[in-house]
Amino acid sequence: MIEDTIRLVGLNVVFVVAGLAIVLAFRIPLAGAWLPTAFGLAPVTGMLACSLVATQLAAIGVPVGIITVTMATTAAIAAVALVGRRVQPSQGSLRPQEQSRLATAIELGILCLLALVSFSALRLAAVMPLSSWDGWAIWGARAHTLFESGDAWSAPFQEQAYAQQHLDYPLLYPSLEALGLHAIGRFDVSLVDIQPMLLLVACAIAAWALLRMAVPPWLAAIAGVGLLGCGTVVQNASWNY
């Protein structure tokens, strides 16, 4: 279990690094008052970017794997950065919000609460059985197929015999799960839910990171806790929805 944790942490470090690279490519300052926003947006940005690249590779028949996805994502980010150099940076009306020391302390306290809620949600995901219909019949099954075959050209993605599993559903979600499975090296019904829950945690952090540019930062932190503290949303993620 410790080895699995280390491997999953390593994978998500790759996601965060990719996210930071994208943040820089889009000319968001990685300094000063912009720093919390840049780092807060990095996890979800990197996670979704790598999953999107994995989805595209699977769609064209290239086996999904961590090394392949990392190389393709790096190339895509480099292309975005080259294009971005020709564009003047513009954050529109978004500006870092100023606040008092008391408000900063309140924000930090709420972020600590967000960390506790995140840990609780991840612990739930690690022990929740893969028993819900959509969780195992659609998303889990597709993640397993992507993990085993590597692409989206096998029967579960093409044949009408699998029509009840909704062949029209997108691949991004199971692609993210497949990357997590590649990290631990096997299909694990207990750990397949971890990446979806980490995506939810990353979304909560991103909500705080982005909203703090438009509203008082402590209020933005409450929004992040509210998102991750919604029982139905957390339950769906733990069921692999």
Side-chain angles (χ1 to χ4, degrees):
M1 188 64 180
I2 295 178
E3 183 178 353
D4 291 338
T5 301
I6 293 174
R7 289 173 177 270
L8 287 173
V9 168
L11 174 64
N12 285 276
V13 167
V14 172
F15 290 154
V16 172
V17 171
L20 284 175
I22 294 172
V23 165
L24 290 174
F26 279 96
R27 314 289 292 278
I28 296 177
L30 196 61
W34 286 91
L35 201 59
T37 294
F39 275 97
L41 289 175
V44 70
T45 302
M47 200 175 296
L48 292 178
C50 291
S51 300
L52 181 59
V53 168
T55 297
Q56 297 302 317
L57 291 176
I60 62 175
V62 177
V64 174
I66 294 176
I67 295 178
T68 305
V69 170
T70 300
M71 293 175 61
T73 303
T74 301
I77 294 173
V80 171
L82 288 175
V83 173
R85 292 178 61 182
R86 303 177 183 179
V87 180
Q88 290 297 322
S90 174
Q91 286 79 36
S93 61
L94 293 178
R95 293 289 184 274
Q97 299 291 302
E98 297 182 0
Q99 62 179 354
S100 65
R101 291 184 179 180
L102 176 59
T104 300
I106 293 174
E107 180 189 18
L108 291 175
I110 298 172
L111 290 178
C112 289
L113 177 59
L114 177 59
L116 289 175
V117 175
S118 299
F119 177 78
S120 177
L122 289 170
R123 186 173 60 178
L124 174 65
V127 300
M128 182 66 68
L130 190 62
S131 58
S132 63
W133 171 259
D134 280 18
W136 70 264
I138 300 176
W139 306 114
R142 290 181 170 217
H144 178 265
T145 303
L146 285 174
F147 172 68
E148 292 291 342
S149 66
D151 59 48
W153 289 88
S154 53
F157 296 106
Q158 304 288 333
E159 302 293 338
Q160 284 302 310
Y162 294 88
Q164 288 188 338
Q165 294 179 333
H166 297 278
L167 299 178
D168 58 325
Y169 277 13
L171 298 179
L172 188 143
Y173 195 69
S175 294
L176 173 62
E177 294 176 314
L179 290 174
L181 297 174
H182 277 291
I184 62 176
R186 68 184 187 281
F187 181 79
D188 192 307
V189 295
S190 296
L191 298 181
V192 71
D193 299 331
I194 294 295
Q195 283 304 140
M197 191 62 75
L198 281 169
L199 176 60
L200 180 58
V201 170
C203 286
I205 296 172
W208 158 73
L210 191 59
L211 288 175
R212 74 188 307 274
M213 308 301 292
V215 301
W218 62 267
L219 185 58
I222 291 177
V225 174
L227 173 61
L228 196 57
C230 179
T232 303
V233 175
V234 173
Q235 185 180 63
N236 282 346
S238 68
W239 283 350
N240 193 32
Y241 273 22

